[in-house]
Amino acid sequence: MDGMMKTGADYAWFENDFPDIAEAYCFTLVRGLSPAEVVSRLEGRPEAPLRGIAAVVDAAFAQFDSAEGDRQLVAMTTVGAWTLLVEPNGYLGVTEERALPASAGTSWISHFVNINGVGTFLWAEDQVLRLCFDPMFPDDRGGTAPDELLGVLQRIGFHFGEETPETDLSSPAAFALAEHLTDVAITPELLKETTFTCATVRIR
């Protein structure tokens, strides 16, 4: 299985192919819940569906402007046993006071980066925070199982130690780690061709 493991390099296409969302996003995978059930747990409000990530990005920024930053657009689709949530310029998926209660009875894997390059990877199981760290600084890990995936993190391509890598693959590596935990591969086709179920969620 390790020979099949994706690495950060396998997701390098994301920043090149989707620059409008790559600079600030949150991707979350929730096992065994439908999009409607996830929206209910987040106390969201259903919105019209959108086809393709470009339309989602445009709608997310329009939503932010119209609601003066009070509500976040969340786009969702079912991938196997998981619901994928995409938040352009969002962070609900890695907000512990929202994610941990919403993870009751299930798995919640989320990763985020903002326009300043600050990131978070969060893995929760049934309201317990298993692992949380900034992908740029994987030496500093929290949660109840901070070392359980240490070997996986190293093989995927997170950079440990003080040396600066020639190419920073910390954000793409977060996609690879999420795939390792869920077996859900994010692909260009998925992002371009999916008709997403959408909702808005109050963020403050």
Side-chain angles (χ1 to χ4, degrees), residues 95-182:
T95 302
E96 291 183 28
E97 56 264 35
R98 307 295 292 275
L100 294 183
S103 74
T106 190
S107 301
W108 182 286
I109 290 94
S110 186
H111 56 103
F112 145 92
V113 68
N114 70 14
I115 198 164
N116 298 315
V118 176
T120 302
F121 189 97
L122 181 149
W123 170 28
E125 295 281 346
D126 193 15
Q127 303 187 73
V128 175
L129 183 63
R130 300 276 292 164
L131 176 66
C132 188
F133 67 100
D134 184 332
M136 287 189 69
F137 304 101
D139 289 294
D140 185 14
R141 301 178 304 281
T144 61
D147 297 330
E148 181 177 330
L149 296 177
L150 180 57
V152 172
L153 267 60
Q154 292 168 332
R155 291 193 294 277
I156 280 175
F158 290 99
H159 180 72
F160 290 81
E162 297 180 357
E163 292 185 14
T164 302
E166 290 185 13
T167 302
D168 177 21
L169 291 175
S170 56
S171 293
F175 280 94
L177 180 56
E179 180 175 344
H180 173 77
L181 288 168
T182 64

Side-chain angles (χ1 to χ4, degrees), residues 17-18 51-53 187-194 196:
D17 294 0
F18 299 94
R51 179 171 173 79
I53 198 66
T187 66
E189 293 74 25
L190 175 66
L191 297 178
K192 290 177 181 177
E193 298 173 6
T194 295
F196 291 94

